[in-house]
Amino acid sequence: MTVLVARGICKSFGRRRVLAGLDLEVAAGEMVAVAGENGTGKTTLLRILAGDLRPDAGSVAIRGRPGYCPQTAILDEALTVDQNVRYFQAAYGIGRTGRAEALIEQLGYAGCRDQRAGTLSGGTRQKLSLTLALMHDPPVLLLDEPYQGFDWQTYLAFWEMAGELRDRGTATVVISHLVFEQERFDRICHLRDGRIEQEAISHAPAA
Amino acid sequence: MRQQLDTAIRLSLAGQVRNRFAWILLVAFVPVWYLLIGSMIAHHGIGFSLQATGATLVVDGHNLTLITAGLSSITLITGFVVFAAVRRTRAFDRRLVLAGYRPAALIAAKTGGALVQAVAIGAYATIIMLFFWRPAGVWAVAVTFMLAAATYAALGLLIGVLVRGDLEGFFLIIMVSLLDTFLENPVDNPLANKPILEFFPSYGSTQFAAAGAFHHQVLAGMAAVSLGWTAVFAVLGLIVLRLRMPRPASVTAPAVTGPEEGAASS
């Protein structure tokens, strides 16, 4: 079942055309990487998919409320980890924060729950940002280089979690530079000249 | 909506309370400003024109200056606090809206939070002023400070959503506040009683304060003028804030593909 469809996406900034009629479909349980050189429009594409940026033309359809983790951890710096979670609990309209608590444990920063987001390290901020994107069990996940600043242990925990999500049918779109992790994706979309030029199927999907 | 509004009010106030710089300004700047300005101005009588009644009062220049000093300090602080809060949470608010937060709940919480701060800062500045001067119409000074704080809270919001950089915003708030409040005082500005000053944001509140504090007179129309400025700034700021918030897809839209479940489109 297709859970994300983007058709004819165009976006320009001034005279510079970044996306030129891009099409993308993602199925449930599929893990897709969007790769490309700097400035090719990867983050622009993800922001359009998340609804954070309006395309000049084209349409996006997504099943349910996507989980969106932007490139820079966007948090309320003055609030604690738990208060940030509470804000998103209200946003998603979920009764319990059990999933968020499990993610905090899994990503290994339970000791920081009463700490203000502004005082967290870069890696922990990224973990919190990821938790906020995942805590409502979204059918579609949009992640912009989500593991920036992670230590090796957390990096592995992230991929383990991504594997679990895939098994549960979550569709994941990850912006990635793909140096080490190509084999982890079901599909790799290369962005060039505003379109997805090449879709490579990886050899062996791994969790 | 109710849960979102409650959460937004509670957490936005929790975030505001942690603004240490604002606390320092409140605790240190307000009394120091009264002390500094008060010590420079002697107790000489000076003519102050009540435009609403056409009367010219002869008031104590020192005491009048304490009112305008209070106005300048609270307008600066309130404008700064709300501006900083708007800037700090701008990207976070966008993310919340993308996650399903209703913009109306966030906007209502911001408005409510700004009003609470305006009332608290106005009341605090009045209490501190009592250490330097006890006006007969202290209630008028308190109301004035709250009105002026509300106006500059709204201005802080408007500037916060309009300017690109923080520095530009701080500069604008400082310049508008200083010009506005000092020009209303005939001790600082020999042209203070000219009609042109009717078009300044703190005109209504200064007139209201002077009439109440020195003349036991309630100029309700002047309070309305001040509230008018607040309303204009607030409405403009909230409109821009709403327009700049993302409009995420509805989660109840029909499926584009796939036979089983509903999909959202944007």
Side-chain angles (χ1 to χ4, degrees):
Chain A
M1 181 180 58
T2 306
V3 291
L4 185 157
V5 182
R7 292 213 194 288
I9 301 293
C10 296
K11 184 70 187 175
S12 300
F13 294 102
R15 287 183 181 177
R16 189 169 155 257
R17 196 166 199 196
V18 179
L19 300 175
L22 177 146
D23 296 320
L24 178 68
E25 285 195 17
V26 183
E30 195 178 15
M31 193 178 293
V32 176
V34 176
E37 292 170 11
N38 291 339
T40 49
K42 303 186 295 293
T43 294
T44 300
L45 171 62
L46 206 74
R47 287 184 64 198
I48 288 172
L49 295 180
D52 192 27
L53 196 63
R54 279 180 178 274
D56 298 333
S59 65
V60 177
I62 293 183
R63 178 178 161 242
R65 178 83 60 198
Y68 172 49
C69 185
Q71 190 172 28
T72 313
I74 296 173
L75 309 165
D76 191 326
E77 311 273 322
L79 300 181
T80 65
V81 167
D82 275 349
Q83 286 172 326
N84 273 277
V85 167
R86 238 172 283 149
Y87 241 138
F88 275 76
Q89 179 191 8
Y92 295 132
I94 50 178
R96 293 174 171 222
T97 53
R99 175 73 176 137
E101 284 161 23
L103 287 163
I104 289 170
E105 287 289 340
Q106 195 173 357
L107 291 169
Y109 67 106
C112 304
R113 288 176 60 164
D114 293 327
Q115 221 173 304
R116 283 164 60 177
T119 65
L120 298 172
S121 69
T124 310
R125 288 166 56 82
Q126 196 62 24
K127 290 177 194 177
L128 174 56
S129 185
L130 190 61
T131 303
L132 299 178
L134 281 167
M135 62 183 275
H136 64 305
D137 268 328
V140 178
L141 254 180
L142 305 169
L143 310 175
D144 196 346
E145 302 199 43
Y147 26 71
Q148 280 187 87
F150 282 1
D151 54 39
W152 184 244
Q153 207 80 26
T154 315
Y155 178 79
L156 295 177
F158 166 79
W159 283 113
E160 191 185 319
M161 202 164 64
E164 289 168 13
L165 289 168
R166 176 160 54 190
D167 294 343
R168 287 157 69 167
T170 306
T172 309
V173 178
V174 181
I175 300 295
S176 173
H177 285 307
L178 295 173
V179 180
F180 302 114
E181 62 234 6
Q182 294 195 24
E183 74 286 354
R184 296 186 186 272
F185 295 100
D186 299 317
R187 190 151 51 102
I188 297 163
C189 302
H190 288 280
L191 256 181
R192 199 164 298 156
D193 299 326
R195 291 170 186 259
I196 291 175
E197 193 176 74
Q198 175 191 336
E199 292 200 11
I201 306 296
S202 66
H203 308 293
Chain B
M1 171 77 175
R2 184 59 199 260
Q3 188 209 357
Q4 290 191 343
L5 183 61
D6 288 348
T7 305
I9 289 173
R10 202 158 17 90
L11 293 178
S12 65
L13 283 174
Q16 297 276 32
V17 166
R18 291 182 184 140
N19 185 342
R20 284 184 195 165
F21 188 53
W23 280 109
I24 293 169
L25 283 178
L26 265 182
V27 172
F29 181 66
V30 175
V32 167
W33 199 235
Y34 279 131
L35 189 67
L36 196 68
I37 299 292
S39 65
M40 289 192 296
I41 309 295
H43 288 273
H44 287 308
I46 189 156
F48 182 85
S49 174
L50 281 182
Q51 302 285 353
T53 62
T56 299
L57 306 176
V58 177
V59 301
D60 185 321
H62 173 269
N63 295 343
L64 180 64
T65 302
L66 284 178
I67 292 176
T68 55
L71 281 173
S72 69
S73 64
I74 60 169
T75 52
L76 273 174
I77 293 171
T78 320
F80 157 72
V81 167
V82 174
F83 172 80
V86 169
R87 305 292 290 181
R88 179 174 60 79
T89 59
R90 210 167 39 155
F92 187 70
D93 286 346
R94 285 183 69 83
R95 193 174 175 189
L96 282 174
V97 171
L98 288 174
Y101 227 102
R102 285 169 183 260
L106 289 173
I107 286 170
K110 278 189 198 311
T111 310
L115 283 176
V116 167
Q117 287 172 68
V119 169
I121 292 171
Y124 170 78
T126 309
I127 291 166
I128 297 297
M129 198 182 73
L130 295 179
F131 290 99
F132 301 89
W133 172 47
R134 289 175 184 255
V138 66
W139 59 271
V141 175
V143 170
T144 293
F145 284 179
M146 289 175 197
L147 289 172
T151 303
Y152 274 76
L155 182 66
L157 169 74
L158 177 61
I159 291 176
V161 295
L162 282 182
V163 300
R164 282 178 178 270
D166 289 350
L167 217 55
E168 300 159 36
F170 288 131
F171 179 79
L172 272 175
I173 289 169
I174 291 167
M175 290 311 293
V176 172
S177 163
L178 286 179
L179 282 174
D180 179 31
T181 55
F182 272 78
L183 289 180
E184 296 290 345
N185 184 352
V187 177
D188 303 314
N189 172 25
L191 302 176
N193 293 324
K194 297 289 178 194
I196 181 95
L197 293 174
E198 291 174 22
F199 302 103
F200 281 58
S202 73
Y203 168 75
S205 44
T206 310
Q207 291 277 317
F208 186 89
F214 298 112
H215 207 237
H216 301 288
Q217 196 176 0
V218 181
L219 296 181
M222 289 296 111
V225 168
S226 185
L227 286 172
W229 277 103
T230 306
V232 168
F233 288 147
V235 168
L236 288 175
L238 293 173
I239 287 172
V240 177
L241 184 69
R242 178 65 188 94
L243 290 175
R244 297 223 169 142
M245 279 186 177
R247 294 169 193 270
S250 158
V251 292
T252 53
V256 169
T257 57
E260 291 169 45
E261 302 193 42
S265 58
S266 64

